[in-house]
Amino acid sequence: MIVDFRRKSPALPPLTIMNSTVEAVESFRFLGSTISEDLKWANHIDSIVKKAQQRLYFLRQLKKFNLPQELLIQFYSAVIESVLSTSITVWFGSATKSDIGRLQRTVRTAERIIGAPLPTLQDLYSSRVRKRAGKIITDSTHPGHPLFELLPSGRRHRSLATRTSRHRNSFFPQAISLLNT
């Protein structure tokens, strides 16, 4: 897969490794996430929405059998929320508002079925980012550890200089921003 953000990408010669040509693809599934050559997450979010909607059927069936609300919430958390939040720290920052809206509609549908408020995707993202950032800060061998530099006051982390919105919305600047608030 060739990642190129230029408006007019040049025609590249085929890549050959050990006398065999490597096929260029537009998207690739890696560790459960679909990554496209333009680093947009629409394909990945499509698959998440499809999985979550399929699992909402089972939530509806459990509701028909008059299961207690606590069990419905546990089922949602284990079966649907786990799908919605898989690798959320990777894709949420650069997902479009319409894609996030589609995912949030799934959460609202589950809220109506269960009859109780559920955490929003933004809440899930924030908690996962804080948790992962905390692990990086405590692990001095992590490659991202030096990015979490404390200011001389010792209370806040030094913000990263970002020039593009793609970088500003990525994990490390978002994590530092969340830790500082």
Side-chain angles (χ1 to χ4, degrees):
M1 183 167 59
I2 299 168
V3 178
D4 190 0
F5 299 116
R6 293 180 284 188
R7 288 196 176 113
K8 291 185 179 181
S9 57
L12 299 171
L15 178 63
T16 306
I17 299 176
M18 297 180 65
N19 294 329
S20 79
T21 304
V22 177
E23 178 189 356
V25 294
E26 293 181 7
S27 65
F28 183 73
R29 192 152 176 89
F30 182 70
L31 296 177
S33 298
T34 306
I35 303 168
S36 65
E37 64 186 352
D38 58 357
L39 297 183
K40 303 259 192 243
W41 296 99
N43 294 341
H44 179 68
I45 291 172
D46 288 342
S47 67
I48 290 176
V49 168
K50 185 177 177 182
K51 279 184 195 175
Q53 287 178 344
Q54 289 171 345
R55 292 164 188 219
L56 281 173
Y57 168 78
F58 297 110
L59 186 64
R60 286 184 183 99
Q61 294 302 312
L62 292 173
K63 177 70 174 180
K64 283 181 186 177
F65 292 124
N66 296 322
L67 253 65
Q69 194 175 56
E70 299 81 33
L71 288 177
L72 293 174
I73 291 172
Q74 283 181 342
F75 179 83
Y76 167 81
S77 177
V79 176
I80 299 171
E81 186 179 284
S82 63
V83 169
L84 293 173
S85 62
T86 300
S87 65
I88 194 168
T89 57
V90 175
W91 57 262
F92 188 85
S94 57
T96 63
K97 286 185 180 181
S98 64
D99 285 339
I100 292 172
R102 289 175 35 220
L103 290 165
Q104 192 59 44
R105 270 194 300 279
T106 306
V107 174
R108 284 195 305 270
T109 302
E111 282 179 336
R112 282 194 300 275
I113 293 168
I114 295 171
L118 298 170
T120 65
L121 285 174
Q122 181 66 46
D123 294 340
L124 291 172
Y125 173 69
S126 298
S127 68
R128 301 285 166 95
V129 167
R130 287 178 201 271
K131 186 176 180 181
R132 177 166 288 168
K135 288 180 180 179
I136 293 171
I137 289 170
T138 58
D139 182 8
S140 61
T141 62
H142 191 281
H145 179 77
L147 296 174
F148 292 96
E149 179 185 353
L150 282 172
L151 291 171
S153 68
R155 289 188 300 237
R156 294 173 51 93
H157 295 277
R158 185 174 306 278
S159 296
L160 298 176
T162 59
R163 290 188 205 143
T164 63
S165 61
R166 182 183 306 276
H167 184 212
R168 190 175 315 110
N169 293 331
S170 65
F171 173 76
F172 287 106
Q174 287 292 310
I176 291 170
S177 174
L178 280 170
L179 288 174
N180 284 341
T181 56

